[in-house]
Amino acid sequence: MAGRTPIAIVLLAVLLGYVYNAYVQRFILVSGIFREPGSTELAPGEFVVINGTIGCEDLHLHEPSGLIFTACEDDVASRRKWFPPIEHFFNPSTARMRGKLQVIDPKTFEAKVLELEGFSGPFVTHGIDVIDDPDKPEGEAVYIFAVNHKPNPEHYGENGNPKAPKSHSVIELFHHVIGSDKARHVRTIWHPLIVMPNDIFAESPTSFFVTNDHHYAEGLLRAIEDVLPMARWTNVIHVRLENLGSAGGEGGDSAGVHASVALEKLHNLNGMGHGGGGRDEVLVTSCVSGLLHVGEIRGEDDDTGRKVIRVKEVIEFASPIDNPSYFRDPYANATFDASGIVASGPTRAVEFLENKGKEVVLDANMVWKATLKSGKREEDGRDESKGGTVADDGKIWDVSLIFEDDGRRIRTSSASVLVAIDPKEEGGRRRASLLLTGYQASNVIAVKVDL
């Protein structure tokens, strides 16, 4: 036994050294420590600024209507004053918290602000999701779920408790008839398990998932959460509503709300999106780790209505990624299908802490597309520095960079969607409009990219 001990120690040291080295290499790649910002060249007319779209953190393409939904702010400085997701708790005045829901037409690149009917409270926008009203013909009306990071009156009230959380984050539910100028507020949703909501995946008007992107709201432990992938303290919550009756009565915003943990023990769970593999496929990002989890929604074997997410595979990206979207190529044919997952993030994440509170700064960003291909790793010749993965069934997710900006066209990058352009309009070229937004950006932008 004594003679075997040194061998075991050596083997353990080699193993730990390999794991540690792999972690360091991955951290260097994703953080962009040695990466120089780039900027994709665009021809005249291929870059559009969509006016009046300030600090829109998330974008969702509603395929039946062809419209893009987003939630924005009314002041470019608002994120620097109050935005719990980046530890900004400097000004909790609700008088200036006037977020808005907007609809963007990707053909005209014009944005329309929706009047929030029956809603007057503070609105600090973040992630959203949009689904069809199941009681209407497809494309006629939608439900809009939106995160709202309100200041917590228990902390900031006249007799406030300094130990109470600074933010009382909730989910707002709206109903919108396509083509109208209004979104009717249905109700506010809260549950003790919803602590630091980031993004939403809706199944129906009464069933949705929401990510809690951090366990700690601020301070050293939160910084540790960001840096160390081993800090797997975040989760996804499944929320079930008994009905769509208005909150505010007995039970308040938690009336008829049931919640349970659907996915946990993963690092920095953040943005969510609908995948291309059917209604039960969900995309969830581990933002700072640059990982995208492709999951499947499953119901528990009981009568509670609880659901869980089972991760099927993980796709690696070469930068942090936030809110993913799935691009379904309407012009796909037997020889070319550009469908895939679109995700974006900062070029140099290492500068995030230094830049987030600055008024004027160049925050470079990168937009990626992961395309599913068949074959084996040794045959595909992809660039390992860009990311990707090989699934158990031999399929390859090939990740490619489709756009980058050095920060002069848009600050930060938190969501991106592709809208296909008819090849007839592009002389047969397969192209798309890429709409890109950021939580600290002055405007959403649109650019043309090759597929």
Side-chain angles (χ1 to χ4, degrees), residues 38-39 47-49 53-59 75-81 83 86 88 90 322 344-348 351-367 403-416 435-447:
S39 193
F47 169 60
V48 179
V49 174
T53 51
I54 299 172
C56 310
E57 205 271 347
D58 198 5
L59 295 172
D75 179 8
V76 71
S78 63
R79 300 294 198 201
R80 297 195 304 274
K81 297 176 181 178
F83 196 47
I86 56 174
H88 285 183
F90 310 120
D322 203 337
S344 55
T347 302
R348 289 180 52 80
E351 297 174 344
F352 169 74
L353 292 177
E354 179 184 356
N355 290 351
K356 67 175 184 175
K358 293 181 178 180
E359 180 178 356
V360 180
V361 70
L362 294 180
D363 276 323
N365 48 77
M366 311 173 83
V367 183
F403 179 77
E404 58 181 333
D405 179 63
D406 60 7
R408 289 179 170 83
R409 289 177 288 210
I410 186 170
R411 176 179 180 178
T412 68
S413 175
S414 55
S416 47
L435 282 83
L436 182 63
T437 187
Y439 55 90
Q440 287 186 289
S442 298
N443 295 98
V444 176
I445 66 170
V447 299

Side-chain angles (χ1 to χ4, degrees), residues 162-336:
K163 294 184 179 181
K166 294 179 180 178
S167 174
H168 178 65
S169 300
V170 299
I171 310 300
E172 309 291 358
L173 178 59
F174 299 89
H175 185 269
H176 169 67
V177 176
I178 299 295
S180 73
D181 297 327
K182 298 180 180 181
R184 175 178 56 86
H185 188 240
V186 177
R187 67 165 295 172
T188 300
I189 302 163
W190 181 81
H191 189 277
L193 289 180
I194 302 175
V195 288
M196 294 183 191
N198 183 303
D199 202 9
I200 301 167
F201 177 104
E203 282 192 303
S204 74
T206 58
S207 175
F208 65 92
F209 298 82
V210 57
T211 53
N212 284 313
D213 60 21
H214 285 83
H215 182 76
Y216 294 96
E218 56 186 327
L220 176 61
L221 290 176
R222 180 191 169 101
I224 291 175
E225 279 192 84
D226 286 335
V227 175
L228 296 181
M230 296 79 78
R232 300 181 177 185
W233 305 331
T234 58
N235 57 28
V236 177
I237 303 301
H238 177 229
V239 180
R240 311 176 303 284
L241 306 178
E242 291 182 3
N243 53 63
L244 293 180
S246 298
E250 185 177 354
D253 297 339
S254 61
V257 179
H258 305 277
S260 57
V261 176
L263 180 65
E264 61 181 340
K265 297 180 180 179
L266 290 172
H267 181 234
N268 194 214
L269 292 173
N270 208 284
M272 303 185 79
H274 296 259
R279 294 182 57 184
D280 293 333
E281 185 170 278
V282 55
L283 310 175
V284 191
T285 65
S286 285
C287 178
V288 179
S289 291
L291 302 176
L292 186 142
H293 308 279
V294 182
E296 180 182 25
I297 298 172
R298 297 180 182 178
E300 293 278 43
D301 295 327
D302 53 33
D303 297 325
T304 64
R306 294 181 299 179
K307 295 187 177 182
V308 296
I309 297 173
R310 303 296 185 196
V311 175
K312 299 185 295 184
E313 53 189 315
V314 180
I315 307 172
E316 296 181 355
F317 290 76
S319 75
I321 52 170
D322 203 337
N323 302 305
S325 63
Y326 187 82
F327 170 65
R328 203 179 321 274
D329 185 359
Y331 301 104
N333 53 46
T335 59
F336 184 75

